[in-house]
Amino acid sequence: MKRLFLAAVALAVTAACTGQPAPVASEVFTTARPTVAQAARDFFGIRPAPRQPLAFPHKRHIEKGLMCTDYCHESATKGPIAGLPSVKTCMICHDAIATDRPLVQQVASYQKSGLDIPWERVYGYTHAAHVRFNHAPHLRASVECSTCHGNIAQQTVAERNIDLNMGFCVNCHRQKNAPNDCLTCHF
């Protein structure tokens, strides 16, 4: 029995590390996760790289003078979640600007079909981390977006460039003389 369990865990870890589904369909391993592979990925903190439906050109928009919180992530200044832009947000400008470009035409097709763009979050904490992050106080403290998200101005599609682990956050709080007690970030 122990060998069978170890074999299942080895399969799950291999699947989790490669990002591929486990080769053998598994029964429900736990009430918390539908498969052993998902449980192993969560346990080891392995997150797949997000695959965006469109290659949003962050660099081009920033070069044009738009700031992250102008339209696309405007809720970051008001609360905990930066938010992901809806197709309506994109079409505020692109109803008239660069309408001949293929990428803008793809955005317009989402609008015509009545669907929102299915963006995937790039950053975020797992529920198990018990982290309560709020963008608004960080922006009020003049923490640049690039501090936590890397130099988005040099990226097309947003990528996870910075490992937002506890050490990273604690060091930043120390440097900025921000509160550093556990309940500042954890619930």
Side-chain angles (χ1 to χ4, degrees):
M1 184 68 167
K2 186 177 177 182
R3 274 190 158 168
L4 183 59
F5 175 75
L6 291 175
V9 170
L11 252 174
V13 170
T14 301
C17 292
T18 62
Q20 301 297 319
V24 179
S26 62
E27 296 292 320
V28 173
F29 178 69
T30 173
T31 56
R33 304 292 180 273
T35 65
V36 173
Q38 183 61 47
R41 278 193 294 274
D42 288 350
F43 179 80
F44 290 109
I46 299 168
R47 293 177 51 199
R51 292 191 179 131
Q52 301 300 350
L54 302 170
F56 181 81
H58 285 91
K59 183 177 179 177
R60 181 176 302 139
H61 286 79
I62 291 170
E63 285 171 350
K64 298 287 183 190
L66 291 174
M67 300 304 294
C68 303
T69 57
D70 286 344
Y71 295 101
C72 301
H73 306 290
E74 65 183 334
S75 60
T77 60
K78 301 171 186 125
I81 299 171
L84 298 169
S86 70
V87 70
K88 290 178 185 177
T89 300
C90 299
M91 294 309 290
I92 289 170
C93 298
H94 288 298
D95 237 354
I97 297 172
T99 57
D100 60 329
R101 298 222 171 114
L103 190 57
V104 174
Q105 291 171 347
Q106 284 180 290
V107 173
S109 70
Y110 274 105
Q111 183 187 38
K112 287 175 190 160
S113 67
L115 298 173
D116 215 345
I117 302 170
W119 300 115
E120 289 189 24
R121 287 188 68 169
V122 175
Y123 284 97
Y125 294 100
T126 65
H127 185 70
H130 300 286
V131 172
R132 172 186 58 218
F133 181 83
N134 191 333
H135 280 89
H138 290 83
L139 292 172
R140 285 193 298 270
S142 300
V143 176
E144 296 290 326
C145 300
S146 61
T147 302
C148 302
H149 296 287
N151 190 353
I152 296 292
Q154 297 304 314
Q155 298 177 32
T156 297
V157 178
E159 301 169 357
R160 267 180 282 206
N161 297 314
I162 296 175
D163 182 10
L164 298 179
N165 59 40
M166 189 169 159
F168 176 86
C169 297
V170 167
N171 287 336
C172 188
H173 276 230
R174 282 184 184 144
Q175 290 170 1
K176 302 225 182 243
N177 293 319
N180 227 356
D181 61 285
C182 299
L183 293 177
T184 300
C185 305
H186 296 281
F187 59 93

